[in-house]
Amino acid sequence: MSDVLVPETRVLAVASHVAYGHVGNTMAGFVMQSLGCEVAALNTVNFSNHTGYRQFKGTRATAQEITDLYQGLCQSNLTDFDVMLSGYAPSAAAVEAVGAIGIDLQKKAESKPGSFFWVLDPVMGDQGRLYVNDDVVPAYKKIIDHADLILPNQFEAEVLSGIKITSLATLAEAITAIHKIYSVPHVIITSVQLPGSATVESSPSSSQNFLTIIGSTTRSNGTPRLFQVDVPALDCFFSGTGDMFAALTVARLREAVVNAGDDLLHTRSWVSPDDVPANELPLAQSTIKVLSSMHSVLERTMEARDAELAKETSEPCGATSPEEQQKREHLRQTKAAEVRLVRNTKLLREPLTQFEVQVLRKEDVAIDRC
Amino acid sequence: MSDVLVPETRVLAVASHVAYGHVGNTMAGFVMQSLGCEVAALNTVNFSNHTGYRQFKGTRATAQEITDLYQGLCQSNLTDFDVMLSGYAPSAAAVEAVGAIGIDLQKKAESKPGSFFWVLDPVMGDQGRLYVNDDVVPAYKKIIDHADLILPNQFEAEVLSGIKITSLATLAEAITAIHKIYSVPHVIITSVQLPGSATVESSPSSSQNFLTIIGSTTRSNGTPRLFQVDVPALDCFFSGTGDMFAALTVARLREAVVNAGDDLLHTRSWVSPDDVPANELPLAQSTIKVLSSMHSVLERTMEARDAELAKETSEPCGATSPEEQQKREHLRQTKAAEVRLVRNTKLLREPLTQFEVQVLRKEDVAIDRC
């Protein structure tokens, strides 16, 4: 087989299912499978489409239903997972049920350090607001100390750390706090847009916006090893990119850890020795591959979206109200922006672009702080 | 992109979901996606694992839940499907709900012949017995005349045609009857084992069993064009192979029809002109590609299963009863036989073996009948 696949990895993916489009498990499952991971998808909701359409039908799983499905796996000895990826859960009780699964899998793997790794995406909100019930926040705070890697966005990192992120300095503070409060050894804060600092001139005629991704793996004394990657921002809103990031990270991080050798793979939580610098961490190396695949797929998605929107205009209907017209146009635009996954799996398997990863040093943070 | 993908195809896949392993949509969805199809998976059950394990947990969707999910797609204009693939539905009412979806999609596509095609797998039973409630049979009989292609196994073909299949002659009779009773233009009967006729000597020391696959597309006068493909049988029971066959057929049939040109793609039900012989039908050409991919993947699966079973034996437990030991062994064997899909997608995209397709003529049937 000439396919470029990551080492064999068995993943339990706990997140939402949508019939149409790609978010939650419907994104993460296929992404990990495309890279060669064996994925068991335990679905926490079953919707017709993602909520970005502003309307959907379907059902949410209760905490009991989530627990039952896991018990089904247990009773038939189907729990030999290397990694668990947990994403959206529809209630505080569901978050607790997912937490109990992660803790149980961890317990089963206790005698073999490194044989189980939990990637937790604390899906709570974005852009300054919660989109879950208030009681979901403490539910997450209770389980995060069991996770090996968490992937909050900027807002979620603020909620978890209690620190408002306005600069590289406060970003570094937030990560340091998360390491400390939750004893979580790996953190990546996905897509941060910092005022001012993240714009550079890419050509004489246009300025290009960048997204900053910051990650860290703790040292043995609990201090962070911070790295930073900047990627060009695309002028389009896509749904499911957080799930895509998480799924690619599962596959690429395990690949990097396997490549680093048996010592690391059999180390609890895959924490590299203290002498490994931030930019050489498996987490950093995996992140640049992840971002490369994402950037290429999203570029293709934007091209396809533009072509689709240019091609078919909403049929003008004299009889419909302006509100109805606007709603139709929103549906059309949302559909056109669905991530183009299935025709672009080669970009997942073989990342093209090479982004740079930089060590984020105290000096940088200090300068930024001024 | 150098990936070998089928032409862009949007599929609505209505079947079961299992967290662990590959059957129903959990098989068909990934298979079609791997070939480049955009798949919307509407799940009719949500189980921990397939029923071959003899135990599972999870929930079945009600007819209302199935209808709701489809209504969710309708209200957001997400129903531009080229193909619907419908498989297992957990009750007669659910079969009716799925039927209503197929009929509605057909109606939406009425003004554009060939723009929507319904592949129906009438999942009712196998090996001489029903594994659905009795009332599911008449529910299927009511909707099949709307399908473009149906994929019964030998037992289901007997149930639908009322003809006991014991020879090539009765097989041909059953297909002719199905065409006639249900006005369904395409039929494939998957995996028929006929007494005696299907064994040949493959080497001096061993005899090799073959499976026979028979298909047909009607002529304009309703008579069948029968073709036959024989493939070596593998000595292992796999779950989900029917779903794999159906999924590959969706992708490969549409590819063959697109390659046949606009005339056929814009012909109602993709029925080739009468002068196309049975072995040159898109359905026949697609079937040999489908069987090639399946044979290769299942060969790899058998190798992997054998390696897994040789490696880890059930731990001997003095304290457990013989029944418990037997149950554990069954679970172990069933798990080991899960189809190895994710590491073998190249075999789906690029079939290697070339099986022969033969026209099944009246003479052959007559000789067989003696």
Side-chain angles (χ1 to χ4, degrees):
Chain A
M1 304 295 285
S2 66
D3 263 0
V4 188
L5 302 174
V6 300
E8 292 198 21
T9 301
R10 289 155 301 186
V11 184
L12 177 63
V14 187
S16 45
H17 173 84
V18 292
Y20 192 96
H22 302 284
V23 305
N25 267 349
T26 315
M27 166 66 87
F30 182 67
V31 167
M32 292 189 285
Q33 287 178 316
S34 294
L35 286 164
C37 302
E38 193 63 60
V39 179
L42 201 163
N43 298 331
T44 55
V45 309
N46 184 18
F47 287 166
S48 55
N49 51 269
H50 69 71
T51 55
Y53 288 91
R54 296 182 196 155
Q55 55 181 10
F56 60 90
K57 301 211 175 201
T59 53
R60 291 166 179 83
T62 63
Q64 188 58 51
E65 282 168 346
I66 292 169
T67 304
D68 276 353
L69 285 169
Y70 180 67
Q71 289 304 330
L73 300 180
C74 290
Q75 72 176 359
S76 294
N77 309 324
L78 303 174
T79 57
D80 54 344
F81 300 111
D82 304 302
V83 180
M84 166 157 139
L85 170 61
S86 63
Y88 179 73
S91 67
V95 169
E96 280 166 28
V98 174
I101 295 172
I103 291 164
D104 189 59
L105 288 171
Q106 221 153 35
K107 210 171 149 190
K108 285 190 208 305
E110 219 160 38
S111 65
K112 293 180 186 168
S115 67
F116 174 71
F117 191 94
W118 180 3
V119 180
L120 186 153
D121 189 356
V123 183
M124 298 187 289
D126 204 0
Q127 312 281 343
R129 65 173 197 90
L130 282 183
Y131 42 58
V132 293
N133 279 346
D134 286 349
D135 59 354
V136 168
V137 179
Y140 268 119
K141 286 186 173 177
K142 260 190 235 163
I143 63 169
I144 285 177
D145 60 343
H146 292 275
D148 299 294
L149 162 62
I150 68 166
L151 303 170
N153 58 29
Q154 180 170 349
F155 173 67
E156 290 155 351
E158 290 175 346
V159 169
L160 293 176
S161 66
I163 292 166
K164 178 86 188 153
I165 298 169
T166 54
S167 61
L168 277 182
T170 44
L171 189 54
E173 275 175 40
I175 289 189
T176 307
I178 288 172
H179 278 318
K180 206 172 163 183
I181 302 170
Y182 306 99
S183 314
V184 62
H186 308 273
V187 179
I188 300 176
I189 304 188
T190 55
S191 70
V192 181
Q193 262 184 316
L194 296 174
S197 64
T199 306
V200 299
E201 293 288 321
S202 68
S203 79
S205 62
S206 74
S207 72
Q208 167 89 57
N209 280 319
F210 278 76
L211 290 175
T212 299
I213 289 89
I214 305 266
S216 165
T217 298
T218 45
R219 291 191 197 83
S220 51
N221 63 2
T223 57
R225 273 175 280 193
L226 292 159
F227 61 86
Q228 171 179 359
V229 189
D230 293 327
V231 298
L234 297 172
D235 184 23
C236 177
F237 180 77
F238 308 101
S239 290
T241 51
D243 307 302
M244 191 178 185
F245 185 94
L248 286 165
T249 296
V250 165
R252 292 301 179 192
L253 177 57
R254 189 148 188 284
E255 175 186 53
V257 169
V258 168
N259 290 345
D262 269 6
D263 278 357
L264 186 59
L265 189 64
H266 299 144
T267 300
R268 188 170 179 276
S269 295
W270 303 343
V271 176
S272 304
D274 283 354
D275 61 351
V276 177
N279 60 331
E280 290 175 22
L281 289 167
L283 195 65
Q285 291 305 311
S286 114
T287 300
I288 52 177
K289 281 196 184 182
V290 167
L291 292 171
S292 166
S293 287
M294 283 192 66
H295 187 71
S296 303
V297 170
L298 295 179
E299 263 184 340
R300 300 282 179 109
T301 299
M302 209 163 74
E303 286 163 24
R305 178 200 67 155
D306 292 346
E308 197 174 317
L309 290 177
K311 201 173 53 187
E312 36 165 281
T313 334
S314 282
E315 286 157 39
C317 297
T320 53
S321 64
E323 291 75 24
E324 182 59 26
Q325 290 271 19
Q326 207 178 6
K327 181 181 152 188
R328 276 194 205 177
E329 188 53 24
H330 172 72
L331 293 173
R332 197 172 76 96
Q333 297 233 3
T334 307
K335 179 171 185 283
E338 287 280 3
V339 176
R340 300 306 193 279
L341 211 50
V342 292
R343 315 285 299 180
N344 292 316
T345 55
K346 206 176 159 69
L347 296 170
L348 301 179
R349 289 193 299 273
E350 299 167 37
L352 297 171
T353 336
Q354 192 73 7
F355 292 118
E356 258 183 70
V357 58
Q358 295 175 325
V359 178
L360 192 63
R361 291 185 194 81
K362 279 201 178 141
E363 308 89 85
D364 309 328
V365 173
I367 289 165
D368 174 70
R369 198 193 276 263
C370 305
Chain B
M1 304 298 286
S2 66
D3 263 1
V4 188
L5 302 174
V6 300
E8 291 199 22
T9 302
R10 289 156 301 186
V11 184
L12 176 63
V14 187
S16 45
H17 173 83
V18 292
Y20 192 96
H22 302 284
V23 304
N25 267 351
T26 315
M27 166 66 86
F30 182 67
V31 167
M32 291 188 286
Q33 287 178 316
S34 294
L35 286 164
C37 302
E38 194 64 60
V39 179
L42 201 163
N43 298 330
T44 55
V45 309
N46 183 18
F47 287 167
S48 55
N49 50 268
H50 68 70
T51 56
Y53 287 90
R54 297 182 195 154
Q55 55 181 10
F56 60 90
K57 300 210 176 201
T59 51
R60 291 166 179 83
T62 63
Q64 188 59 51
E65 283 167 347
I66 292 169
T67 304
D68 276 353
L69 285 169
Y70 180 67
Q71 289 304 330
L73 300 180
C74 289
Q75 74 177 357
S76 293
N77 309 324
L78 302 174
T79 56
D80 54 344
F81 300 111
D82 303 302
V83 180
M84 167 158 138
L85 170 61
S86 63
Y88 178 73
S91 66
V95 169
E96 280 166 28
V98 174
I101 295 172
I103 291 165
D104 189 59
L105 288 171
Q106 221 154 36
K107 210 170 149 192
K108 286 190 206 307
E110 219 160 38
S111 65
K112 293 180 186 166
S115 68
F116 175 71
F117 191 94
W118 180 3
V119 179
L120 186 154
D121 188 356
V123 183
M124 297 188 288
D126 204 1
Q127 311 283 343
R129 65 174 197 90
L130 282 183
Y131 43 56
V132 293
N133 278 346
D134 286 350
D135 58 354
V136 168
V137 178
Y140 268 120
K141 286 185 174 177
K142 259 190 235 163
I143 63 170
I144 285 178
D145 61 343
H146 292 277
D148 298 295
L149 162 63
I150 68 166
L151 303 170
N153 60 28
Q154 180 171 348
F155 173 68
E156 290 155 351
E158 290 175 348
V159 169
L160 293 176
S161 65
I163 293 166
K164 178 86 187 153
I165 297 168
T166 55
S167 62
L168 278 182
T170 44
L171 189 54
E173 276 174 39
I175 290 190
T176 308
I178 288 171
H179 277 319
K180 206 171 164 182
I181 302 170
Y182 306 99
S183 315
V184 60
H186 308 273
V187 180
I188 301 177
I189 303 188
T190 56
S191 70
V192 182
Q193 263 183 316
L194 295 174
S197 64
T199 307
V200 299
E201 292 289 322
S202 69
S203 79
S205 62
S206 74
S207 72
Q208 167 89 56
N209 281 318
F210 279 76
L211 290 175
T212 299
I213 289 88
I214 305 266
S216 165
T217 298
T218 43
R219 290 190 197 83
S220 52
N221 63 2
T223 58
R225 272 176 281 192
L226 292 159
F227 61 86
Q228 170 178 0
V229 188
D230 293 327
V231 298
L234 296 172
D235 184 24
C236 178
F237 180 77
F238 307 101
S239 291
T241 50
D243 306 303
M244 191 178 186
F245 185 94
L248 286 166
T249 296
V250 164
R252 292 301 180 192
L253 178 58
R254 189 147 188 284
E255 175 186 53
V257 168
V258 168
N259 291 345
D262 269 7
D263 279 357
L264 187 59
L265 190 64
H266 299 143
T267 299
R268 188 170 179 275
S269 296
W270 302 344
V271 176
S272 304
D274 285 353
D275 60 353
V276 177
N279 60 330
E280 290 175 22
L281 289 167
L283 194 65
Q285 291 304 311
S286 116
T287 300
I288 53 177
K289 280 196 185 182
V290 167
L291 292 171
S292 165
S293 287
M294 283 192 65
H295 187 71
S296 303
V297 171
L298 295 179
E299 262 183 341
R300 300 281 179 112
T301 300
M302 209 162 76
E303 286 163 24
R305 177 200 69 155
D306 292 346
E308 197 174 318
L309 290 177
K311 202 173 52 187
E312 37 165 278
T313 334
S314 283
E315 285 158 38
C317 296
T320 53
S321 63
E323 290 76 24
E324 184 57 28
Q325 290 272 18
Q326 207 177 8
K327 182 181 151 187
R328 276 194 203 177
E329 187 54 25
H330 172 73
L331 293 173
R332 198 172 76 95
Q333 298 233 2
T334 308
K335 179 171 184 285
E338 287 280 3
V339 176
R340 299 306 193 279
L341 211 50
V342 291
R343 315 285 299 181
N344 293 315
T345 54
K346 206 177 159 69
L347 296 170
L348 301 179
R349 290 193 298 273
E350 299 167 36
L352 298 172
T353 336
Q354 191 73 8
F355 293 118
E356 258 183 69
V357 57
Q358 296 174 326
V359 178
L360 192 64
R361 291 185 194 79
K362 279 203 176 138
E363 308 88 85
D364 309 326
V365 173
I367 288 165
D368 173 71
R369 194 194 278 264
C370 304

